[in-house]
Amino acid sequence: METRVRPKIYVNGDPETGRVFLTSGFQAPFQEGDLLKQIDVNSHFQSYATGGSIMHLFTAEEMKPEEQERLIFSIIENFPIQYLTKTPFLTTCNSCGHKMVGRKTECVRCGSDDVTLWSRPIGYFRPVMRKGIRKDFKNAEYLFWLSGRIEDFATRKEVKREDVEEIIDEISSGI
């Protein structure tokens, strides 16, 4: 008799309700605010993947192309990162239509708290939450993602201009 081994399938979501989804990739678990440590953790995790792991650098503000280029090339020249994206968090105001880079809880133009936060989980931008967003980014009047994804969104490090120079300086000094 031949014994067949079935690999385990890991899903995200709730198998009880059928609201599950499969993923061919993963993101390294990381909750710490130190971006250089996050890059290091991702470089180790990516060695286990053959095309299914990507490091997202979520940006909090607009950056000049040369700033982005310096950061990205410093990372890939000094760490074995295979796949890397620079993804802005986006906020749109539903009252006046103003668009902003970064996670905002209210519109910087009109002051409305009816804003929608957007992120790019897999190749395209999706709304994360809308209206009455708290400073910890874990709650709002409308939540569009599952709670585990909201927790990840709330705790993800945002890259700022000052981070770019700090990281490049630390990498240059021989980490």
Side-chain angles (χ1 to χ4, degrees):
M1 174 187 245
E2 185 179 318
T3 304
R4 212 167 164 192
V5 177
R6 293 181 182 251
K8 290 182 180 179
I9 297 175
Y10 295 92
V11 297
N12 196 349
D14 184 0
E16 300 295 320
T17 64
R19 292 188 63 204
V20 299
F21 54 91
L22 299 172
T23 179
S24 61
F26 65 90
Q27 277 192 311
F30 201 81
Q31 302 287 322
E32 194 171 322
D34 185 330
L35 190 59
L36 199 54
K37 285 183 184 176
Q38 185 176 350
I39 292 166
D40 186 50
V41 167
N42 270 273
S43 69
H44 291 290
F45 267 86
Q46 282 194 0
S47 67
Y48 294 106
T50 57
S53 176
I54 191 165
M55 180 179 178
H56 294 278
L57 294 174
F58 292 104
T59 54
E61 55 197 3
E62 291 186 50
M63 292 184 184
K64 296 176 185 171
E66 55 272 11
E67 291 173 314
Q68 297 173 52
E69 185 177 289
R70 285 183 65 219
L71 175 63
I72 290 169
F73 281 108
S74 289
I75 292 169
I76 61 176
E77 287 173 351
N78 292 282
F79 292 91
I81 297 287
Q82 300 166 3
Y83 304 100
L84 176 72
T85 66
K86 191 213 61 85
T87 302
F89 284 120
L90 301 175
T91 304
T92 56
C93 179
N94 300 301
S95 297
C96 74
H98 186 59
K99 296 176 178 118
M100 301 158 276
V101 175
R103 294 181 290 189
K104 313 289 184 199
T105 58
E106 62 183 35
C107 180
V108 297
R109 181 183 285 166
C110 74
S112 173
D113 76 339
D114 187 6
V115 296
T116 301
L117 299 182
W118 296 77
S119 186
R120 181 177 74 163
I122 306 171
Y124 56 90
F125 281 93
R126 288 187 49 203
V128 178
M129 60 184 63
R130 175 183 175 187
K131 194 165 180 155
I133 300 166
R134 296 190 330 224
K135 294 280 186 202
D136 66 3
F137 300 105
K138 294 182 182 179
N139 203 356
E141 194 168 320
Y142 304 99
L143 297 174
F144 300 107
W145 288 6
L146 297 172
S147 59
R149 296 281 305 164
I150 294 289
E151 178 68 25
D152 179 63
F153 175 84
T155 58
R156 276 286 156 188
K157 168 72 174 158
E158 288 181 289
V159 180
K160 298 180 179 174
R161 280 193 182 98
E162 68 238 20
D163 297 324
V164 173
E165 292 307 316
E166 182 179 315
I167 289 168
I168 291 171
D169 288 345
E170 285 187 47
I171 290 172
S172 299
S173 67
I175 300 265

